[in-house]
Amino acid sequence: MIGTLLHQRYKVESVLGEGGMGVVYRAQDTLLQRPVAIKTLAPGIFGDEGARRILREAQSVARLHHPQIVSIFDVISETGSYAIVMEFVEGKTLRELIPAPLDHLLPIAARVLEALEFAHTQGVIHRDIKPENIIIGSDGTAKLMDFGLARSEGRSRLTQTGMIVGTVAYMPPEQALGGQVDARSDLYSLGAVLYEAVTGRPPFESEDPIAVITQHINVPPVAPHWHAPSIPPQLEQVILKLLNKDPTRRFQSAGEVLRALQNVAGAEGAAQEALTATGPDLIQRIARSPLVGRDGELRRFKELVDQTIAGRGGVALITGSLGVGKTRLMEEGATFARLRGAAVITGKAYESAPPYEPFARALRELARGVDSDTLAARLGEFAPEVVGLIPELARQLPRIPERAAGSQEERKNRLFAGVAHFLGASAAQAPVVVLLDDMHLADPGSSELLQHVARRADAARTLIAVGYRPDDLPATPAGKLFGQIVHGLAREAFCTTIPLQPLSAEQVVDLIKIMANHRTRPQRFGQRIYDVTEGNPYFIEEVLKGLFERGALYIKDGQWSTDFDDTRDYSMLEIPSSVHGAVESRLRTLREETRQVLLPAAVTGRQFSFDVLQAVTELSEDALLDRIEEAVRAQLIREVRGAGEDLYEFAQPMLRQVLYDSIPRRRRRLVHRQVGDALERVGQRRLDPYLEALAMHFAEAEDLERTVRYARLAAGKAASVFAYDNAARYL
């Protein structure tokens, strides 16, 4: 290639760089007598149509004339290869300057933001902000390059060979999930770049790119001051806001970020105290345990996803004890499925849920954003039955015919057939992966519906993953029914059981080494943790957080330290002997006012809404937010995304149970009554979604009159969707 004259005009002189997308050369424009950079795009990466689309985008970007944007001069094609001729900038990329001193970084960030503000106002989204695409000229001026040139073609962001198109270290969650990408997506990527420029490391790391994407989607980043204690607090706040998972909670424009950074620059010369890591803030260092020791189980799940995409669906039973990692495995598998172009929908069972709630929640996700005509076509003749289960769908449909006549059993069968038909019709357009978690708590109706849908999954591109705890099936008719159904499914050819066992001692050592960012394997310390926790990942995480909070673990030079000395005897290190004890120990570190807020939250249930909790506590919005945010930072609760209200849930059932058990029985009755009263006030215009919870709370409060009232209403609601076992229980 060197010495070649391209397009009768550009003489190639040397290689400037090489990457997965192609090679960048320095060349001389013999017509205009100026140096240029030529980026070749390998057709094998994108396919011919993909490469043509990228070139069309390059042509549109060529209209961007801004001093902080590398100009595009020409688009050429020779001998089957495509190339883009760009302005040549003598200098270094930001990658070569990381970690960057603050006095250098802030001006660079400002210039990049000016470029993004201009591009976004012209309707152009970059889609691949990373240090390699920010070039700093010899005069110190920063310029942004490669607008839109790495956009992947088609729905799947994972190629058949397993290569992920795009740079995962900086990928916003909505881009990874195939959602709407806009200006705020570029801002997320810039936040990840600034995080790395300040700390010397990206916000999420793993050798497995899918694990990195899973963290972008699900895991909050560790605060930058853990890695760079001298970072100004204002800059840290800017970076963390840019990295918010929810685009509506990020900065809404590059100009807004620019103004925030100007405030940082103004304060930078003032004396600043380094952020100190004390108290509950320490556990931010453990964002969430990485997935260790699950290679075989994850590989099997991925195989089932690929099998589903190929046209043969089925059922995966993900089994194991509390905290062993079932949810984490399903999350990682879900990320893989989304990258392969599948639609992923989720549901969860919990006590006092409405009939079929796990499926209803998943189907709401499946219907979200679907236009009226398409939704009507996918529901087909069963639209009245499915709308009877999920009334909100009525707003998306042009018209809904009357339900078909027939016996109660025939109408119930039509409802089940309608759910299966909706899944099958949706899967005809794109494979569907249904994640149903905590199903050992499923109501009888959900268990029956699971049985019906599961037996039809193999005929469609539908994979149903069912997470449950075999050892914790309730000794109730509902628990026994679920046990019988999964026992029957496990014997079918279309069903695969993926059991999760506790980690081995060596895997625990590996886990701690990764979590601690340590150079050596902390063998003795890891063995001590294993001896107490018996390899349960959740127990391990709670123990480590507790050790942080007590000061037995601390941060030194960006790594954990005890000091992980393998000559030290850790047998006397005080560690709770049970996961219950570990949770109790951590809860004692909370401020009393925060704990007092979590107690009524625990009475409300695994999930609770801000409005109901505020009605119970009678706190001001600001005061309640402060206490909820402390609990979120301590990773005791988390915000539930995608809900129509401000909804939170306990990070693990054990957290909620320990809090609930700590309330004296008489006080518990009173709080149940207060929660019931709050639900009546919050739902006064539409009580239907809360009937089951109201019946439960007033029963626990021993309020006979209101228990009878709401139990009868809940029974009628269950009977209306043919969940007769549920109805009988309320009656």
Side-chain angles (χ1 to χ4, degrees), residues 96-135:
E96 300 169 82
L97 304 179
I98 290 176
L102 209 59
D103 58 345
H104 290 175
L105 178 62
L106 290 175
I108 291 170
R111 301 294 82 77
V112 172
L113 286 162
E114 289 170 2
L116 286 176
E117 179 77 352
F118 176 77
H120 293 163
T121 59
Q122 304 301 308
V124 177
I125 309 302
H126 191 288
R127 297 186 183 89
D128 194 29
I129 303 288
K130 58 184 178 183
E132 289 80 359
N133 283 338
I134 299 170
I135 188 164

Side-chain angles (χ1 to χ4, degrees), residues 69-373:
I69 295 176
V70 172
S71 298
I72 292 180
F73 297 146
D74 202 353
V75 176
I76 61 177
S77 173
E78 284 213 7
T79 64
S81 295
Y82 299 87
I84 297 169
V85 182
M86 302 178 289
E87 172 189 1
F88 174 75
V89 180
E90 188 81 57
K92 297 180 177 180
T93 68
L94 181 58
R95 168 67 63 206
E96 300 169 82
L97 304 179
I98 290 176
L102 209 59
D103 58 345
H104 290 175
L105 178 62
L106 290 175
I108 291 170
R111 301 294 82 77
V112 172
L113 286 162
E114 289 170 2
L116 286 176
E117 179 77 352
F118 176 77
H120 293 163
T121 59
Q122 304 301 308
V124 177
I125 309 302
H126 191 288
R127 297 186 183 89
D128 194 29
I129 303 288
K130 58 184 178 183
E132 289 80 359
N133 283 338
I134 299 170
I135 188 164
I136 295 89
S138 53
D139 60 354
T141 300
K143 293 197 174 203
L144 194 54
M145 60 187 291
D146 275 10
F147 271 83
L149 302 188
R151 181 178 185 175
S152 60
E153 176 70 16
R155 287 182 54 83
S156 176
R157 286 151 306 284
L158 188 66
T159 69
Q160 291 297 328
T161 59
M163 188 193 81
I164 294 177
V165 179
T167 310
V168 299
Y170 317 98
M171 186 175 289
E174 61 272 20
Q175 185 172 343
L177 295 174
Q180 181 64 41
V181 174
D182 59 22
R184 297 168 300 183
S185 307
D186 280 348
L187 299 184
Y188 181 97
S189 298
L190 180 62
V193 169
L194 293 178
Y195 187 107
E196 184 174 4
V198 169
T199 67
R201 58 196 298 169
F204 304 113
E205 295 179 286
S206 175
E207 293 181 2
D208 180 2
I210 292 176
V212 175
I213 294 173
T214 300
Q215 292 177 80
H216 278 299
I217 296 168
N218 297 303
V219 180
V222 173
H225 71 258
W226 284 111
H227 312 299
S230 62
I231 181 176
Q234 299 97 323
L235 178 57
E236 175 166 282
Q237 291 164 10
V238 168
I239 291 173
L240 291 177
K241 186 172 181 178
L242 287 169
L243 289 174
N244 199 294
K245 312 292 182 195
D246 183 352
T248 65
R249 299 190 176 186
R250 297 176 202 151
F251 293 99
Q252 297 300 291
S253 70
E256 192 180 336
V257 187
L258 186 58
R259 290 187 290 275
L261 283 184
Q262 288 168 346
N263 293 334
V264 173
E268 208 258 310
Q272 302 231 5
E273 294 182 4
L275 293 169
T276 306
T278 59
D281 285 346
L282 275 168
I283 56 89
Q284 290 188 45
R285 184 61 183 85
I286 311 173
R288 278 174 74 191
S289 308
L291 202 60
V292 168
R294 303 295 185 220
D295 293 348
E297 294 89 343
L298 185 58
R299 182 169 57 251
R300 186 71 188 103
F301 195 102
K302 290 178 178 178
E303 289 170 355
L304 293 175
V305 170
D306 282 336
Q307 179 179 295
T308 302
I309 291 170
R312 186 161 56 91
V315 175
L317 300 179
I318 316 294
T319 69
S321 59
L322 170 69
V324 80
K326 300 180 296 298
T327 303
R328 288 294 315 284
L329 180 73
M330 288 198 289
E331 285 178 351
E332 197 111 339
T335 302
F336 176 81
R338 288 181 175 114
L339 291 168
R340 296 284 282 115
V344 178
I345 55 178
T346 61
K348 182 180 290 189
Y350 56 92
E351 302 95 332
S352 304
Y356 314 116
E357 177 59 21
F359 281 96
R361 181 178 296 191
L363 295 181
R364 287 187 194 102
E365 288 186 24
L366 194 59
R368 189 175 298 133
V370 178
D371 65 83
S372 296
D373 292 339

Side-chain angles (χ1 to χ4, degrees), residues 31 34 52 87 109 122 177 180 241 251 300 332 365 391 396 401 426 520 601 624 632 656-657 683 722-723:
L31 180 62
R34 63 180 177 183
R52 282 193 291 271
E87 172 189 1
Q122 304 301 308
L177 295 174
Q180 181 64 41
K241 186 172 181 178
F251 293 99
R300 186 71 188 103
E332 197 111 339
E365 288 186 24
Q396 289 179 246
S426 300
T520 59
L624 183 56
V632 170
R656 185 244 169 184
Q657 194 62 50
F722 321 111

